Amino acid sequence: MPYFDTASAAPLHPVARQALQAALDEGWADPARLYREGRRARLLLDAAREAAAEAVGCRADELVFTPSGTHAVHTGVAGALAGRRRVGGQLVVSAVEHSSVLHAADAHAAAGGTVTEVPVDRLGAVSPDGYAAALGSGTALACLQSANHEVGTVQPVAEVAEVCAAAGVPLLVDAAQSLGWGRVDAPWSLLTASAHKWGGPPGIGLLAVRKGVRFAPQGPADERESGRSPGFANLPAIVAAAASLRAVRAEAEAESARLRVLVDRIRRRVARLVPDVEVVGDAERRLPHLVTFSCLYVDGETLLHELDRAGYSVSSGSSCTSSTLTPSHVLRAMGVLSEGNVRVSLPRGTSADEVNGFLEVLPGAVAGVREKLGVGEPVTVAPVAESLELDALGLRCPQPVIELARAIGRVPVGGTVTVLSDDEVARLDIPAWCAMRGHDYLGESPRPGGTAYTVRRTA
Amino acid sequence: MPYFDTASAAPLHPVARQALQAALDEGWADPARLYREGRRARLLLDAAREAAAEAVGCRADELVFTPSGTHAVHTGVAGALAGRRRVGGQLVVSAVEHSSVLHAADAHAAAGGTVTEVPVDRLGAVSPDGYAAALGSGTALACLQSANHEVGTVQPVAEVAEVCAAAGVPLLVDAAQSLGWGRVDAPWSLLTASAHKWGGPPGIGLLAVRKGVRFAPQGPADERESGRSPGFANLPAIVAAAASLRAVRAEAEAESARLRVLVDRIRRRVARLVPDVEVVGDAERRLPHLVTFSCLYVDGETLLHELDRAGYSVSSGSSCTSSTLTPSHVLRAMGVLSEGNVRVSLPRGTSADEVNGFLEVLPGAVAGVREKLGVGEPVTVAPVAESLELDALGLRCPQPVIELARAIGRVPVGGTVTVLSDDEVARLDIPAWCAMRGHDYLGESPRPGGTAYTVRRTA
């Protein structure tokens, strides 16, 4: 049963499991104690820190273990902002950061700070110029992910780091998605990561703070982990995290090349096998194992359910699969279609057969969902009016776009269709549909009970 | 090799290990996902929460898992204080709380709040009257441990909870040391605990917040664990924590009775076998497995080292075993001797033979340390002056007290010895020595470079 959501959580790497077992026997005591069990725990902790620091590319005394990647981000952002409070209160983040970074930014704004979001292009990448424009004399910290967790696009971290260095602003790099594949090759100031993303155990994040970076830990004091991560050390998991990071790194080059081929295959075949699909993210500058695409006229939750029934576990940024009924902020920032969204992230060891099996199942699953929604082959209809207005109030994604697609043939080339919708996703998906179909998106205007989106037919 | 420091960390319970193994296979996925691996993880998480809530004595939706007991305390204190910000900014804690509570209190004070410490008696217990006196109209929260982690004294939680309820103040009970032995039988508002104290894995704390208690989580938002504990759930450890809590509870009554007998033996024999010793804490209202005593004229670090060499791992609240060179705040609050301090906390399954072995080794170890320090049998000397002043500047614990003991015979009954010391511990240990020896402690006064402590010989 192939599991294709390793970007959410990876099954435990065999090396992590072995190390965890051993450390449960040897490393349960308090490493601050002077007796033999404590000294043994201290040796294990020191060795794990050395190994993790080597993999990160920093000194051991620059790295602490936290209870999760989210904790690493929250702690890193808060500590760096507080350390430079006198410089100013501006935090600069990309629009496509992980929610842990954006939530830390929200907390900063709620506490009176300012937050500037750097936009991304349609492939999901920031530009160094975007950071240069955002940085100011009052910027305390900039954050940028090494690679995007939803679409796989690799960010120009080295170039952004240069821009930040020139402005004297520390850069925090969230390396959660990429650290298992290699070091972040850039002069970052702070770096965060999460062990369960590379096959390590849950419960462990990494926070590295370069010497010389001003850092003031927030929250109650605690003497452990250089005062940067409170609570009793989860030593067995730390040992397992460090051991598995070394192990996946040893395999990274070969496995990356192998998975890159499989993902290229998915990118090509999905575009060919599934009608009305948009494969998103950068085709070249990307994570080796991750690909995301969106299918027009498809309800993401139903599609995930169909794929799950067929034995494939994937994830989605569609609004209907989120508890808030809003689409992924990443897809929104990129301005790409969110309906029928599927993220495939291959675990290490995924076979070509498993990928081929997925590609066999997918077209039928998409077609099945479309059939349920009553989406058939486009029927040639005669135009009935120069302009039409559709009342799609109360309809949820993907229905407003389906209604629009049905109606566009009923106006002549040059004519307009206006969709009245109260579904927040329409704001993203109607322009994205226009871009995919080549129609002109004329814009939106407020209406009682919703928003009117107007499209001009071009062909 | 007997390990007698289970109050710091307990070796993993076999049930915890089994559950962890199973959950590593079944529970590594994101419980928020809709595919089969996610649904399986969700089932495990829900079952673990039910089991833990049953053991705590609360509803499942009142309990969240945190990355440690320290996180549970920090989160619980901050959330409860913020939830009652409009009531006022006073936090009431006992003087002998775990450092995680006191550090949370320090952070509250640093942020402009007020903190009131309720004192304890010489046995380490608070009084309900102490809480009644401390609570005011601006009290946002009161905290009390269920039992003390250093001396084992059980606190009158039910009575203090009544006092708090009468004042309309929520009570947070830190049950870290006692939860494995039984429910906290009191109407608490919030409760915290730590799994690795009962034989569960490290990396898991519990925070229960009763329905109706005002609670405003602090820090960046996160949708997991009811918004009260951010980061990816450490599900294998959660499952292991819940399973082991049930397991230790099933054994608690029998094991508690058995260990209580062994600790009674230690209490009696230590007082008989070791000269100049003070067994501290309540002999009756105490944890079943924990006993603490302090030895006059002994360097705690050297004693721990000797016991470690003899095969016994114990802990100490002596200043010389802490990185800050200050004695345990618990011993200080109790006003008992801190030098040569030893805490013995027996793991489940400790045998009578292991305890007997320790009692055979201990007197020799203490005597050996005293010999190294040049402490011999008291020699009868003739008084040389009505009052003596000793310059003990630069000497560290236990030397100032050793010097005092040597000098007291050189003044007549009614005469005084003044010890000039710059060791912070002298402030605690000189009065404690007087109490043990029956001499009068006359007080302290500042001197250039230190403090003068004056003692009147009574016999």
Side-chain angles (χ1 to χ4, degrees):
Chain A
M1 301 290 269
Y3 171 80
F4 285 171
D5 195 22
T6 191
S8 284
L12 203 62
H13 192 283
V15 167
R17 180 180 291 254
Q18 278 170 18
L20 189 67
Q21 301 282 18
L24 285 171
D25 291 327
E26 299 290 316
W28 50 267
D30 185 344
R33 298 292 176 184
L34 302 174
Y35 42 69
R36 63 192 174 282
E37 293 89 351
R39 295 194 303 268
R40 208 157 56 198
R42 166 63 55 188
L43 288 176
L44 285 174
L45 180 56
D46 290 347
R49 198 185 311 278
E50 288 284 346
E54 203 278 329
V56 166
C58 67
R59 291 165 38 167
D61 61 356
E62 295 174 330
L63 184 139
V64 300
F65 296 103
T66 67
S68 69
T70 296
H71 281 91
V73 165
H74 291 176
T75 303
V77 169
L81 286 172
R84 284 173 49 90
R85 197 172 278 147
R86 286 187 197 163
V87 174
Q90 191 201 13
L91 171 65
V92 174
V93 300
S94 90
V96 295
E97 293 300 311
H98 185 262
S99 59
S100 59
V101 174
L102 297 182
H103 288 153
D106 290 344
H108 179 58
T114 59
V115 176
T116 306
E117 276 198 7
V118 178
V120 295
D121 62 21
R122 211 178 148 80
L123 297 177
V126 301
S127 77
D129 287 351
Y131 272 79
L135 300 178
S137 62
T139 309
L141 177 68
C143 298
L144 178 61
Q145 60 195 191
S146 55
N148 186 268
H149 51 297
E150 288 196 28
V151 301
T153 299
V154 167
Q155 301 292 355
V157 176
E159 294 86 336
V160 170
E162 257 178 54
V163 167
C164 290
V169 171
L171 176 67
L172 181 152
V173 175
D174 171 16
Q177 290 297 331
S178 75
L179 196 69
W181 298 112
R183 284 190 186 176
V184 174
D185 194 15
W188 47 265
S189 309
L190 302 98
L191 183 142
T192 59
S194 170
H196 80 109
K197 304 285 188 193
W198 71 63
I204 300 298
L206 305 183
L207 169 62
V209 183
R210 292 264 191 226
K211 289 284 158 204
V213 173
R214 283 176 194 274
F215 193 86
Q218 300 300 289
D222 191 292
E223 74 278 11
R224 287 164 285 204
E225 292 298 293
S226 310
R228 291 176 180 170
S229 186
F232 188 79
N234 187 350
L235 188 50
I238 286 172
V239 170
S244 55
L245 181 54
R246 287 175 79 134
V248 299
R249 279 291 186 79
E251 310 155 350
E253 202 179 338
E255 189 63 5
S256 160
R258 209 177 63 76
L259 292 181
R260 182 167 278 277
V261 170
L262 295 180
V263 165
D264 278 337
R265 182 182 303 173
I266 299 175
R267 292 186 73 96
R268 275 198 322 275
R269 296 254 183 106
V270 162
R272 212 162 61 205
L273 297 172
V274 179
D276 299 319
V277 76
E278 180 171 19
V279 180
V280 301
D282 197 307
E284 295 301 324
R285 286 178 57 90
R286 63 170 175 80
L287 291 168
H289 64 300
L290 194 153
V291 52
T292 296
F293 51 86
S294 299
C295 308
L296 270 178
Y297 321 135
V298 165
D299 167 7
E301 182 164 359
T302 310
L303 179 57
L304 255 55
H305 182 65
E306 290 300 318
L307 291 171
D308 177 47
R309 289 211 314 165
Y312 295 90
S313 300
V314 297
S315 162
S316 171
S318 290
S319 61
C320 53
T321 61
S322 85
S323 55
T324 54
L325 292 179
T326 55
S328 137
H329 69 275
V330 173
L331 302 177
R332 201 164 50 204
M334 294 166 67
V336 297
L337 189 72
S338 79
E339 68 185 38
N341 180 258
V342 170
R343 177 182 71 180
V344 173
S345 53
L346 306 177
R348 290 169 175 79
T350 299
S351 70
D353 280 354
E354 287 172 321
V355 166
N356 292 340
F358 175 73
L359 289 170
E360 267 171 42
V361 161
L362 179 70
V366 172
V369 176
R370 284 178 177 160
E371 201 174 320
K372 276 189 203 163
L373 290 167
V375 181
E377 286 298 299
V379 186
T380 312
V381 289
V384 295
E386 268 304 309
S387 65
L388 280 178
E389 180 160 318
L390 304 175
D391 180 356
L393 289 172
L395 297 183
R396 288 286 156 263
C397 166
Q399 289 294 355
V401 173
I402 291 174
E403 296 299 325
L404 169 59
R406 281 189 185 128
I408 198 76
R410 299 185 181 271
V411 300
V413 170
T416 60
V417 176
T418 295
V419 183
L420 186 58
S421 172
D422 55 0
D423 185 6
E424 191 47 43
V425 194
R427 181 163 288 124
L428 174 58
D429 282 355
I430 289 177
W433 179 85
C434 292
M436 288 174 74
R437 279 281 174 265
H439 298 298
D440 290 341
Y441 176 63
L442 300 184
E444 61 169 79
S445 59
R447 286 289 180 82
T451 305
Y453 303 91
T454 302
V455 174
R456 178 186 290 129
R457 181 178 172 187
T458 57
Chain B
M1 302 289 268
Y3 171 80
F4 286 171
D5 195 21
T6 192
S8 285
L12 203 62
H13 192 282
V15 167
R17 179 179 291 252
Q18 279 170 18
L20 189 67
Q21 301 282 20
L24 285 170
D25 292 327
E26 299 288 317
W28 50 268
D30 185 345
R33 298 291 176 184
L34 302 175
Y35 42 68
R36 63 191 174 282
E37 294 88 352
R39 295 193 303 268
R40 209 156 57 197
R42 165 64 54 191
L43 287 176
L44 286 173
L45 179 57
D46 290 348
R49 196 185 312 279
E50 288 284 348
E54 204 277 328
V56 166
C58 66
R59 291 165 38 166
D61 61 357
E62 294 174 330
L63 183 140
V64 299
F65 297 102
T66 67
S68 69
T70 296
H71 281 91
V73 165
H74 291 177
T75 302
V77 170
L81 286 172
R84 284 174 48 91
R85 198 172 278 146
R86 286 187 197 160
V87 173
Q90 191 202 13
L91 170 64
V92 174
V93 300
S94 90
V96 295
E97 293 300 311
H98 186 263
S99 59
S100 58
V101 174
L102 297 181
H103 287 153
D106 290 344
H108 179 58
T114 59
V115 176
T116 306
E117 275 197 8
V118 177
V120 295
D121 61 22
R122 211 178 148 82
L123 297 178
V126 301
S127 76
D129 286 349
Y131 272 80
L135 300 178
S137 62
T139 309
L141 177 69
C143 298
L144 178 61
Q145 61 196 190
S146 54
N148 187 267
H149 51 298
E150 289 194 29
V151 301
T153 299
V154 167
Q155 301 293 356
V157 177
E159 294 86 339
V160 170
E162 255 178 55
V163 167
C164 290
V169 172
L171 176 66
L172 182 151
V173 174
D174 170 15
Q177 290 296 333
S178 74
L179 197 68
W181 297 113
R183 285 190 185 176
V184 174
D185 195 16
W188 47 265
S189 308
L190 301 98
L191 182 142
T192 60
S194 170
H196 81 108
K197 304 285 190 195
W198 70 64
I204 300 298
L206 305 183
L207 169 62
V209 182
R210 291 263 191 229
K211 289 284 158 205
V213 173
R214 283 176 195 275
F215 194 85
Q218 300 300 289
D222 192 292
E223 73 279 11
R224 287 164 284 206
E225 292 297 292
S226 311
R228 290 177 182 171
S229 185
F232 188 80
N234 188 350
L235 188 50
I238 286 171
V239 170
S244 55
L245 182 53
R246 287 175 79 135
V248 299
R249 279 292 186 78
E251 307 155 351
E253 201 178 340
E255 188 63 4
S256 160
R258 208 179 63 78
L259 292 181
R260 182 168 279 277
V261 170
L262 294 180
V263 165
D264 278 337
R265 182 182 305 172
I266 298 174
R267 294 187 72 96
R268 272 197 324 273
R269 295 255 184 106
V270 162
R272 212 162 57 205
L273 298 172
V274 180
D276 298 318
V277 75
E278 179 171 19
V279 180
V280 301
D282 197 308
E284 295 301 323
R285 286 179 56 90
R286 62 169 175 84
L287 290 168
H289 64 301
L290 194 154
V291 54
T292 296
F293 51 88
S294 299
C295 309
L296 269 178
Y297 322 135
V298 165
D299 167 8
E301 182 164 359
T302 311
L303 179 57
L304 255 54
H305 182 66
E306 291 300 317
L307 291 171
D308 177 47
R309 288 212 314 166
Y312 296 89
S313 300
V314 298
S315 163
S316 172
S318 291
S319 61
C320 53
T321 60
S322 86
S323 55
T324 54
L325 292 179
T326 55
S328 139
H329 68 275
V330 173
L331 302 178
R332 202 166 47 205
M334 293 166 67
V336 297
L337 188 72
S338 80
E339 68 185 39
N341 180 260
V342 170
R343 177 183 70 181
V344 173
S345 53
L346 306 177
R348 288 171 176 77
T350 299
S351 70
D353 279 354
E354 288 171 319
V355 166
N356 292 341
F358 175 74
L359 290 170
E360 266 170 41
V361 161
L362 180 71
V366 172
V369 176
R370 285 177 178 160
E371 201 173 323
K372 276 187 203 165
L373 289 168
V375 181
E377 286 298 299
V379 186
T380 311
V381 290
V384 294
E386 269 302 311
S387 66
L388 279 178
E389 181 160 315
L390 304 175
D391 180 356
L393 288 171
L395 297 182
R396 290 286 156 262
C397 166
Q399 289 295 355
V401 172
I402 291 175
E403 296 298 324
L404 169 59
R406 281 188 185 129
I408 198 75
R410 297 184 182 273
V411 299
V413 170
T416 62
V417 177
T418 296
V419 184
L420 187 57
S421 172
D422 54 2
D423 185 8
E424 191 48 42
V425 194
R427 181 164 288 123
L428 174 57
D429 282 354
I430 289 178
W433 178 85
C434 293
M436 288 173 75
R437 279 283 175 266
H439 298 298
D440 289 340
Y441 177 62
L442 300 184
E444 61 170 79
S445 59
R447 286 289 180 84
T451 305
Y453 303 90
T454 303
V455 174
R456 177 184 291 129
R457 181 178 171 185
T458 55

